[in-house]
Amino acid sequence: MAEKNRQMQTVSPLLQKIINWSSAIGALGTVAFCLWAYFAGVLQSKETLSAFIQQAGFWGPPLFIFLQILQTVVPIIPGALTSVAGVFIYGHIVGTIYNYIGIVIGCAIIFHLARTYGPAFVQSVVSKRTYDKYISWLDKGNRFERFFIFMMIWPISPADFLCMLAALTKMTFKKYMLIILLCKPITLVIYTYGLTYIIDLFWKMVSK
């Protein structure tokens, strides 16, 4: 009965507006910052980017981790960008740790929100096409858990959406967090190191 009641809850108009406006403002803000940073020379190299961000001093790491939490809960900035930025700013080891902390906390939050508000919350965050593409996995029982584990390791997957989808199943929060804690480091290492390598090549080509 409790599960049924959770599914019947709806997202409040205020929360829906916050989600919509946050996504729009985040997208515009990202474009505006990238343009400004490019013309200001901040994106000239990863060293200039690191020097710029580290001007925040002590507050830099907490703010970065908060940004990772925020982008996981509300898609205001592509997660790949923030993860790569973390590595460029703080180095591979420390940057990956900061990424991991923020993403794990964010995953815990979105699971709670999706379990509290049900499909209404999930559909308010993702497109109908994405929702319809994966929603059938809810009927596959234990197969969904195996699918979820694989997708949490696979670097190119709608991970945030699948975390919400997991909340609509009977998966316990404990099992969900165990999967996240074990799988996310693998994903972070694969796509963060891969993207940093590609961006390094790009910067070398541009600087020639």
Side-chain angles (χ1 to χ4, degrees):
M1 181 63 70
E3 180 70 17
K4 182 178 180 180
N5 290 337
R6 279 198 299 267
Q7 301 297 324
M8 292 175 64
Q9 293 187 47
T10 59
V11 176
S12 68
L14 176 60
L15 179 58
Q16 182 67 66
K17 288 181 180 180
I18 291 174
I19 293 171
N20 293 340
W21 278 104
S22 297
S23 299
I25 293 172
L28 291 174
T30 301
V31 173
F33 174 78
C34 288
L35 289 174
W36 173 83
Y38 175 78
F39 289 108
V42 174
L43 299 181
Q44 185 175 357
S45 67
K46 61 182 179 183
E47 288 77 19
T48 57
L49 175 62
S50 177
F52 172 76
I53 299 298
Q54 291 189 15
Q55 291 177 10
F58 170 80
W59 294 104
L63 288 173
F64 176 78
I65 291 173
F66 175 74
L67 180 63
Q68 277 290 44
I69 295 172
L70 193 61
Q71 69 81 17
T72 303
V73 177
V74 182
I76 57 174
I77 303 173
L81 289 180
T82 52
S83 296
V84 170
V87 171
F88 280 159
I89 297 165
Y90 300 107
H92 284 290
I93 296 177
V94 176
T96 300
I97 292 173
Y98 289 161
N99 285 330
Y100 180 66
I101 293 172
I103 290 174
V104 166
I105 296 174
C107 287
I109 293 174
I110 58 176
F111 184 91
H112 172 73
L113 290 172
R115 178 143 291 183
T116 299
Y117 294 105
F121 173 77
V122 179
Q123 293 180 66
S124 70
V125 177
V126 301
S127 66
K128 185 178 185 302
R129 179 181 179 182
T130 300
Y131 184 84
D132 292 342
K133 180 179 180 181
Y134 292 97
I135 193 62
S136 62
W137 278 94
L138 293 181
D139 301 323
K140 298 185 183 296
N142 292 333
R143 287 183 60 193
F144 174 80
E145 290 187 9
R146 295 193 292 271
F147 170 73
F148 181 68
I149 292 172
F150 172 78
M151 295 301 279
M152 289 302 101
I153 296 175
W154 187 249
I156 305 175
S157 68
D160 297 342
F161 164 67
L162 292 173
C163 287
M164 300 179 202
L165 205 62
L168 302 183
T169 69
K170 294 181 179 180
M171 185 185 298
T172 64
F173 179 71
K174 182 178 180 180
K175 179 178 289 187
Y176 165 80
M177 287 306 299
L178 181 61
I179 294 172
I180 295 297
L181 289 169
L182 295 177
C183 294
K184 277 301 178 182
I186 301 173
T187 309
L188 277 172
V189 169
I190 292 175
Y191 77 67
T192 300
Y193 279 66
L195 285 174
T196 52
Y197 176 76
I198 293 172
I199 293 173
D200 275 337
L201 286 179
F202 172 76
W203 260 324
K204 289 179 182 178
M205 292 173 60
V206 172
S207 61
K208 286 183 180 180

